[in-house]
Amino acid sequence: MSTIVLVNVSGPDRAGITRSVTEILGRYGVRVLDIGQAVIHNHLSLGLLIQIPPESESAPVLKDLLFRTHEMGLQLKFTPISEDDYELWVNAQGKERYIITALSRSITAEQIHQLTTIISENGLNIQGITRLSGRFSLRHPPERPRAGVEFQVRGEPADAAAMRLAFLALAQDLGMDVSFQKDDRYRRNRRLVCFDMDSTLIQAEVIDELAREAGVGEQVVAITESAMRGEIDFNESFRRRVALLKGLSESRLDSIVERISLTEGAEELIRALKGMGLKTAILSGGFTFFGRRLQQRLGIDYLHANELVIENGVVTGEVREPIVNGQRKADLLKQIAEQEGIRLEQVIAVGDGANDLPMIGLAGLGIAFQAKPLVRKSASHAISNLGLDGILYLLGVRDRDV
């Protein structure tokens, strides 16, 4: 009868350890049922679940392993596994798999404790933990540090809605965003990313900047607040705000373009996405005048925004139809996906406002970025503590990959 043994090797890492261990196992015709290895700060942990065939007794195998690891200055631990326990472990692979990603400027023990408490309370079992972010110097820390850690878990959450609210609380209380995704074939096969522009790719609401330039800032704010109270719909409020811009010189628009900054991580994210072969799009309730400049600068594939009518170098106070509102954004996302032959599950949508929720809800990965509380609660995923390049961690991309 064959024997099943869990072998754990630990100690200072150096080249050739796995080769040396498997050399001995190979002599005895051992079968490797599972294997895993991790190195943290030059300290190795190697685990092998092995099946020793009936014709090879376990004692000589383990004795040879013990001598070899001792010679290499390593610790060896072995645990017999019953066939019943092995079968239980095999059957567990039918459980659903999820990815939980933690994002922060730096990861603390308290953050991990709170996160893993929520995981445990929801009946999920951690199968693996991977650091996605690169190493950084304590003597010369980066100006804008970022940390990403990925947890691979199995099981079904006891209460998915309550768990997500608990994750949102971590973002507010401990400065750590948490994403919960199904570990399926679409997660690592995204092909299109659609962005809102104002307060997402850029650090401004362009219509507010235009209003200040035209001296009608207070009136525009009053219309915006009325729309937020539900007194007028988005299209009507948008037309009224644009009407107040009548007479603004086109040259003033250029000065606004010059002073608007990109959001942290925007250039790095777009560069990485292009390198990975993903298509990108701007779907904005802002204006094409600004969107085209941004499209050229970042190399965005698609742009859909509102066309501000300018005649003889002056803003007329009109906007060409159709207005890009929330539903229009969702329709455009679907249209681009169909044109590119991309499933909606392979689409990422990123935005900060309520009018981004339709496209965020339609996409396979919808992200509320630096959004208001209502939008964060309504979206499946939220990033509030890192720049846009934190999205790469949600795709399982490590710093060294880009």
Side-chain angles (χ1 to χ4, degrees), residues 150-172:
E150 181 179 285
F151 297 78
Q152 301 92 41
V153 303
R154 280 190 183 273
E156 281 293 342
D159 187 335
M163 184 178 71
R164 189 173 175 283
L165 289 176
F167 288 158
L168 283 174
L170 290 184
Q172 182 175 344

Side-chain angles (χ1 to χ4, degrees), residues 46-68:
L46 170 64
L48 301 101
L49 186 62
I50 63 173
Q51 182 184 30
I52 303 173
E55 61 271 16
S56 299
E57 294 184 12
S58 60
V61 179
L62 301 178
K63 180 181 176 182
D64 285 356
L65 275 179
L66 186 60
F67 279 128
R68 179 62 61 86

Side-chain angles (χ1 to χ4, degrees), residues 96-100 151-153 155-157 180-183:
E96 290 287 359
R97 295 178 301 170
Y98 293 93
I99 297 294
I100 296 175
F151 297 78
Q152 301 92 41
V153 303
E156 281 293 342
F180 180 72
Q181 304 178 63
K182 197 166 188 176
D183 188 13

